[in-house]
Amino acid sequence: MEVKVRRCATSYDSQLRIPAAALDVQEAFSILRSMDSSRSRLAHFDKSSGLLGTTVYYAKEAFILLFMNGPRQDEFLDPQPQNRKLNRPLGTAVKLLEGAAGGNNSDAIFLLAELNFYGNFTHPRNYKEAFHRYQELASSTGNTTAQYMIGFMYATGFGGSVTRDQAKALTYHTFAALGGNIRSEMTIAFRHHAGIGTPRNCNEAANYYKKVADKAVDFARSGPPGGVWLYRDSYRLADEEGGVYGEGASVVSSGVHAKKAGPNSDQHAAFDDVLEYLDLMSRKGDLKATFSLGRLHYEGSRTMNRNLRTARFYFFKVARKYWAKDDSIISEDDGETAKIASKAAGYLGRMFLRGEGMEQSFEKALSWLRRGLANGDSLCQYEMGLVHLYGYGVRKDPVIAASYFKAAADQDSPGAQVHLGQLFLDQGDVQTAMRYFELAVRHGHIEAFYHLAEISNNGVGRERSCGLATAYYKVVAEKAEMIHSSFKEANSAYEDGDREKALIGYMMAAEQGYESGQANVAYMLDEHRSILPLDSLLPWRKQASSLLRNAVLALIYWTRSAKQSNIDSMVKMGDYYLDGYGVDKDTEKAATCYQAAAEMQQSAQALWDLGWMHENGIGVEQDFHLAKRFYDQALETNQESYLPVKLSLLKLRMRSFWNTITNGKVKSIQSEPEPKKDWSFSEWISNFLEDDQEYYHSADADDTISGPSVHDPMPGGDDYYDDIDESIIESLIIIGLAASLAFLVYYRQQRQLNHRRAVEQQQAQGQMGGGPIVAQPLPGQQPDGGFFPPPGDPNYGQWVAGGIGH
């Protein structure tokens, strides 16, 4: 990090009392600035297009590679470098600063502390001297930056300047946070949130995260209409190399996260190659490619800075394909051109409204936005909502603004959803506002997270949730990286090869709670990457500084990263506990880490490790059958693990076979039994119908796949009935027989009922006549009323033998 002007404790009165010291500081600062400008002329040269720019760029790279690629002497072996003779300008500046510091000039003390800590302007790093200067400044003036740096050094023990002491770190960070230092506020919030050096306290974490979130939102809302453009500099170093375990073995590059693009896809292409391809297609007249180039240059990326003038050029190029200079439409029949041109008009309107790459002009902004509105472009609708809400060149009208926001929100514009939610919140409709905020959260909009955090923290429209509020505040705070994080400086130092300086920046971000910072620190400190390291065999490889060889700190940051849902970091924790690297060996904790990482079914490495531990009985009970199950799950999770898993299974089967024939005590591999379940009658009927339905669905699918004949003049015509399945006919026959049987039963019941009614009528008539009632015998009925033949009857013998009816 270069020396920057920070809040120092120097006052105007103190400079009046010590004018000589103030003049010495100004002179020293001028010398340092001149050294910085001369040193950075070559370093800040970027690759340009064209033959001359490319030649100069690669000449500079070759010069640095051949003559300036030697390591710094203080980066090896000894974290406290030997005293080296300073060059004349730097020596003069340091003497001036030391003289001023002797007169208690706070600016001089601060600059000396920064020089010794960061090693700027080729000054040798001396962390103990830096700590002494920071402590002197904090004690004499209460400077919050000095208090923050002392807290950081106590928390990490960086450079061996002090012994790690979390209690003192918490004390100094608390004093700095109470003084308004945003980095300490962020650090204290994370410590209360994660319970580092203090018991976990959700309310304290929410309180400090809210302070940072308030500043982050104020910063995001400042600047031109629409707010400040928020850059994102945080990323994981390991992800650039395929993950902690390399391409195909880490979670970020395997399984569902693996790159599965085809050979003709641009998914594996470098960013420069994509730009060259889009430029080629743009030159051929492809408007989509031209618009994409404009958008890439407008938004920028981690590997390419924003170039607003170039973006304006491409957007104008697209717009002029649809609108003439007199604003008339060139061709109304081309709907695709109109759509792309409207998007370009939306960006041009935004750039005129914000004054990006051109002079700010509300009139021109409205002109371009109205053109895009004609084709329903969501960006134009959102920007027009801002124009009417805040009165940019027009009269303020929230009602008209709400109508534009509603139209854009219906097209899933996150900015419009946030502003529409704010309008509903102002009207007291919390539930509708929350619905729009939750929609905008899907796109990562900072203000959407902030409003949900405020609603959760204050219990508006819902029960208060401290945990949810803290999580939302944390997201908001981490989105405004540029006001408190050191990722940009750390990334630059890492790319320049200054590992110590990069480590400082990443460690500061890690202490503030950034998971990516924690993963980066652990990755840089991790030397536990290979079973057979070859670095020691290479004659040109030198041993790295002890600052970059700290297994204890590496495990600490792997652990913190794992607690924030980094699965690879959780697997790394298991490796450290398994091998006793940076901690006492504990195989049970290793198995617990692997099990926790395997529960997400995303890490084939964790599953394989569990299989290996069960195969060998390390940290768990030896079980060949369970080991096979974990090996199989590893292969299901990541197909790229085919070879190691198959080799492991081959060895496992051999061991299991030997265990079986020797009657070993270990559970051998067994066939997995098919689960059987006793079904109830209703479940049996349900499953039967489902199977039947699946059968007919598969039959329909087969018919669909085969499809009608291309020679059939009338697909689905009369010939369709010739293909009726025979099973359907059988079903119809069964249904008909069942209906006939039901009819016969019904007919028999009706006959019996009619006969009973006739008998009852005869009995009634006999009672009316006064005579006895004689029942009429039925066909085949005996005189005694029975239906079986009496003894002596010729049919009696057949009845006894069961031959009646034969």
Side-chain angles (χ1 to χ4, degrees), residues 96 150 354 373 418 778:
L96 289 171
I150 295 173
R354 295 167 58 89
L373 284 176
V418 168
L778 294 175

Side-chain angles (χ1 to χ4, degrees), residues 217 220-221 413-419 421-422 425 433-456 462 468 472-473 475-476 479:
V217 170
R221 290 173 177 172
S413 170
Q417 291 165 346
V418 168
H419 281 84
Q422 291 173 347
L425 194 62
M434 286 175 55
R435 182 165 59 86
Y436 280 108
F437 293 146
E438 289 170 353
L439 290 173
V441 157
R442 296 178 297 115
H443 301 277
H445 199 285
I446 183 173
E447 291 193 52
F449 280 106
Y450 180 75
H451 285 297
L452 290 176
E454 291 283 89
I455 290 172
S456 300
R462 61 164 65 172
L468 192 60
Y472 283 138
Y473 282 136
V475 173
V476 175
K479 281 186 173 295

